[in-house]
Amino acid sequence: MAEHFDSLETRAPELRERELLAALARQVAHAQAHAPYFAEALRGVDARALVSREALAALPVTRKADLAARQAALSPLGGLNATPLGRLRHVYRSPGPIHEPDGHGEDWWRVGRAMFAAGFRAGDLVYNTFSYHFTPAGMMMESGAHRLGCCVFPAGVGQTESQVQALAELQPQAYAGTPSFLKILLERADELGQPCAGLRKALVSGEALPPSLRGWFTARGIQVRQMYGTADVGLIAYESEGADGWVVDEGVLVEIVEPGGTRPMAEGETGEVVVTVLANGDYPLVRFGTGDLSAVVPDSARRPSACGRTNIRLKGWLGRADQAAKVKGMFVHPGQVAEIVRRHPEVRAARLVVTGAVGDDAMTLHCEGEAGAALAEAVAASLRDITRLRGEVRFVAAGSLPQDGKLIEDARRYD
């Protein structure tokens, strides 16, 4: 019989919907009373009248793509926080730049639920390779692991040979990080003759997991499951042993809406993932547009997963509704490309092209302007400084870049 994190996961769908809508009314009232942005954005909304999804759909969508400008106008959190900054636990800075908080309390991002579904249990040693600097990914995983009673090794990224040595010595049971970095570590461990024989389960996020790569891990005896979440809202959905879609977290209300709009899409149709956070009052995001594309698995609201979980399920990550691209686990935004052009007046136009296979990403910034070694070096430094990622700079003839309004082109292979 499948194990579950708690009884919420197996609630009758009708009961879940009633409880979600009751929590929605409370959260909207809380946001209106304590978060300046939502006091204005939801002015005139009667929280008590939010008794259906149709009523929720009448509220405005706040999009992640707009946060940088909003936060620049009202630093650091744009007035979306209901808890004053000084009473929060941390504040982070992700590419954009976008600031995100976390608050006090156990497993603030609710990642423990996804870890449990991935097989993590009390007493496991979790080898956590998400970064602990600037962005919250490392702490998101650590807090979830601690919720389950796991011990965590805060490895972060880089220093591959030192990490291989640590893996060989510690022999962790579980891994948290991107799938591509796990593959790099295991291949390097083989080369150095220091295998990590104890590793049997992994929770991965931050990039796609192609079937071929999942099969590669399975052949090595490692069960890999995916988690979908963001630094803003925490856990959104996760894979379970049911293997029939990503189960939506119990602490959020998820809608799929028309990209760039507010109208909910029909079940099964692809649209933007819009999330209302119900599980914490510090950062009470209401109808938060993530910019990610997905779709609800048809009939998942009526047909439980094979693992017994009864919440709706998503088809997985199906792309971006805007031009942002995730490269090596980090979002790169069109505004960052524009900032590079502003820094270098010699560059008349630019387009960032992302190539390679997922997990082996490569960025090339194509620039219109007079080529020169010094300028190319300076632009490459700006690219690294602004995106916190390395990329190649290539100069092209004036007028040769496509005139389609795109600053970022994702040309990766997803097979």
Side-chain angles (χ1 to χ4, degrees):
M1 180 178 295
E3 294 183 275
H4 301 108
F5 182 77
D6 57 25
S7 61
L8 295 178
E9 295 182 349
T10 55
R11 284 182 287 181
E14 299 81 6
L15 174 61
R16 175 182 291 106
E17 190 71 2
R18 288 198 301 271
E19 293 179 343
L20 287 178
L21 290 172
L24 170 68
R26 293 192 298 269
Q27 187 76 314
V28 168
H30 173 73
Q32 289 172 314
H34 300 287
Y37 167 78
F38 288 110
E40 180 61 31
L42 303 177
R43 183 182 301 276
V45 172
D46 182 0
R48 295 169 299 179
L50 297 173
V51 295
S52 67
R53 297 231 174 199
E54 291 74 20
L56 173 63
L59 303 184
V61 173
T62 297
R63 289 196 153 77
K64 186 183 184 83
D66 299 328
L67 280 191
R70 195 174 305 282
Q71 291 181 351
L74 184 60
S75 182
L77 296 171
L80 281 76
N81 52 307
T83 300
L85 185 67
R87 286 166 43 200
L88 292 166
R89 187 177 184 182
H90 299 105
V91 63
Y92 302 91
R93 182 181 175 91
S94 295
I98 297 172
H99 294 110
E100 306 99 357
D102 78 337
H104 297 275
E106 191 175 46
D107 195 12
W108 193 84
W109 287 282
R110 311 174 311 283
V111 173
R113 187 179 300 281
M115 288 186 157
F116 189 90
F120 291 35
R121 295 293 184 270
D124 284 343
L125 174 59
V126 178
Y127 197 88
N128 184 13
T129 66
F130 278 115
S131 174
Y132 281 76
H133 301 93
F134 270 72
T135 63
M139 288 299 294
M140 290 173 73
M141 290 293 183
E142 177 161 316
S143 64
H146 286 166
R147 170 68 178 82
L148 298 182
C150 300
C151 177
V152 176
F153 182 78
V157 295
Q159 304 181 77
T160 305
E161 293 196 7
S162 294
Q163 298 229 29
V164 167
Q165 183 178 2
L167 282 166
E169 293 172 351
L170 293 170
Q171 290 296 314
Q173 295 83 29
Y175 167 92
T178 64
S180 61
F181 193 55
L182 176 57
K183 186 171 188 288
I184 288 170
L185 291 176
L186 294 174
E187 289 179 331
R188 188 62 178 142
D190 290 343
E191 293 170 2
L192 296 174
Q194 295 181 302
C196 182
L199 190 61
R200 287 292 174 264
K201 48 203 169 187
L203 181 65
V204 301
S205 190
E207 61 190 29
L209 176 63
S212 58
L213 183 54
R214 189 195 294 270
W216 189 88
F217 291 128
T218 301
R220 298 180 68 105
I222 302 173
Q223 171 190 276
V224 178
R225 295 209 171 104
Q226 298 177 88
M227 181 199 102
Y228 168 42
T230 75
D232 321 271
V233 303
L235 179 65
I236 298 173
Y238 58 93
E239 285 188 317
S240 73
E241 64 268 38
D244 47 5
W246 294 1
V247 182
V248 169
D249 176 50
E250 299 294 335
V252 295
L253 195 157
V254 169
E255 304 168 87
I256 303 297
V257 309
E258 57 185 347
T262 64
R263 179 181 61 87
M265 305 294 288
E267 185 178 85
E269 292 185 0
T270 299
E272 182 179 4
V273 179
V274 170
V275 180
T276 297
V277 178
L278 304 174
N280 83 69
D282 296 314
Y283 203 46
L285 298 179
V286 177
R287 296 205 87 196
F288 182 76
T290 64
D292 293 322
L293 296 175
S294 190
V296 173
V297 174
D299 293 327
S300 60
R302 296 169 292 279
R303 177 175 52 82
S305 168
C307 66
R309 293 173 174 86
T310 57
N311 208 342
I312 62 171
R313 301 186 297 281
L314 302 181
K315 290 184 179 180
W317 185 81
L318 303 178
R320 290 288 297 172
D322 56 23
Q323 292 182 39
K326 187 172 280 189
V327 182
K328 298 187 183 302
M330 302 285 287
F331 275 118
V332 181
H333 296 271
Q336 293 172 301
V337 179
E339 175 61 25
I340 294 169
V341 174
R342 282 192 291 269
R343 284 193 184 186
H344 302 279
E346 307 94 328
V347 176
R348 292 188 286 272
R351 184 184 184 99
L352 186 69
V353 180
V354 186
T355 57
V358 175
D360 188 23
D361 312 301
M363 297 195 314
T364 303
L365 186 66
H366 297 257
C367 302
E368 291 186 7
E370 296 297 326
L375 178 58
E377 185 175 335
V379 173
S382 293
L383 176 64
R384 184 171 61 251
D385 178 47
I386 291 171
T387 68
R388 293 170 47 214
L389 295 163
R390 294 182 182 275
E392 179 185 349
V393 173
R394 182 177 302 165
F395 282 87
V396 298
S400 64
L401 292 179
Q403 301 299 306
D404 56 5
K406 281 189 177 182
L407 295 179
I408 299 177
E409 176 186 349
D410 190 343
R412 286 174 289 189
R413 304 189 308 276
Y414 287 89
D415 53 351

